[in-house]
Amino acid sequence: MTDREKKRRAAPLRLVESYWRALAGDGQVPLRSQIDPRGIESALPYAFLAERIAPSLAKLRVAGTHLNDLMGMETAGMPLSALIAPDDRDRMAEAVARVFAEGALARIDLRGEEGFGKGRIEAQMLLLPLRSDMGDMTRMIGVLVSQGRIGRTPRRFGILDAEVTPGLSATMTPAPAPQRQGFAEPPATFSPAPIRPVAAPAKRAPYLRLIVSND
């Protein structure tokens, strides 16, 4: 593969990472709700969104068509580890755990399992942390780009190399509460009113007087 072809193949990885870093310009891990597909349109076939379901396990929530092509089925709802060969799932779990726990960035070089109808195929994966609207780091955006003929599916990958680099601080400021819209009621709060002495009612002159006459 020529250098030009390698750069073209790596373009989705660079685009998603640049987009993520632009969103993290304030030093915070971006929110999942900040991701706008229009900002990474050309990378969408290779991109995915995943949710943390255990400290080292993520489930695909949205996946591009390239992942579906590699597995020969719809991948949304599957664990991310389904793309990885069983012998390397522990290494994958370690990378996923650090992305969620440390706000780290994971770059993983992959090679497809070979066999009948499954020729040589290599891939690169990028994992980037995201926060939920509650402010916890339980989401991620990722990219998977492969080079080579897919052949028979499913294509699972072994890990050639995994590089996990420090990202943004894992100590995050919780996301601000979403603004109320329309006629939504404000949240109920309790604030006891100060106790004030009650003034005695003023005495009034009687409306009627009883007059006694002994004449």
Side-chain angles (χ1 to χ4, degrees):
M1 185 181 297
T2 64
D3 290 341
R4 182 177 180 181
E5 179 66 12
K6 288 181 180 179
K7 289 181 180 179
R8 187 184 71 81
R9 292 281 189 174
L13 299 162
R14 295 195 302 270
L15 174 59
V16 172
E17 182 173 356
S18 297
Y19 180 75
W20 181 87
R21 289 188 180 278
L23 293 178
D26 60 355
Q28 293 272 353
V29 168
L31 294 168
R32 158 66 183 88
S33 57
Q34 290 179 274
I35 301 297
D36 184 346
R38 293 171 296 182
I40 53 172
E41 188 171 1
S42 63
L44 289 179
Y46 309 95
F48 58 87
L49 292 168
E51 177 183 3
R52 178 184 181 271
I53 56 175
S56 59
L57 189 62
K59 179 171 69 174
L60 294 169
R61 303 295 293 181
V62 180
T65 55
H66 185 62
L67 278 74
N68 298 338
D69 292 342
L70 288 168
M71 295 300 290
M73 65 185 79
E74 175 64 46
T75 54
M78 296 173 59
L80 180 60
S81 57
L83 299 165
I84 305 302
D87 289 346
D88 284 319
R89 286 178 182 171
D90 285 346
R91 293 183 68 187
M92 185 67 179
E94 180 181 354
V96 168
R98 292 190 61 186
V99 170
F100 286 135
E102 303 172 18
L105 284 66
R107 295 178 176 84
I108 304 172
D109 293 330
L110 304 165
R111 177 176 293 168
E113 295 178 314
E114 298 183 29
F116 178 72
K118 298 181 178 182
R120 183 183 181 90
I121 184 172
E122 296 184 349
Q124 292 79 44
M125 181 183 288
L126 174 67
L127 304 177
L128 303 165
L130 296 173
R131 290 181 293 149
S132 74
D133 288 339
M134 300 299 294
D136 52 350
M137 204 143 48
T138 56
R139 306 291 191 273
M140 70 164 60
I141 184 169
V143 191
L144 175 62
V145 178
S146 69
Q147 301 91 39
R149 185 172 177 271
I150 293 177
R152 293 182 62 195
T153 59
R155 295 305 301 263
R156 293 186 172 87
F157 295 87
I159 295 178
L160 297 177
D161 186 45
E163 178 187 3
V164 181
T165 57
L168 302 177
S169 172
T171 305
M172 297 298 164
T173 303
Q179 295 182 349
R180 296 186 297 275
Q181 298 180 355
F183 297 94
E185 292 291 334
T189 58
F190 175 74
S191 178
I195 299 175
R196 297 184 177 90
V198 178
K203 292 184 178 180
R204 295 180 180 178
Y207 290 103
L208 300 175
R209 287 191 300 162
L210 177 63
I211 301 175
V212 179
S213 176
N214 293 322
D215 291 343

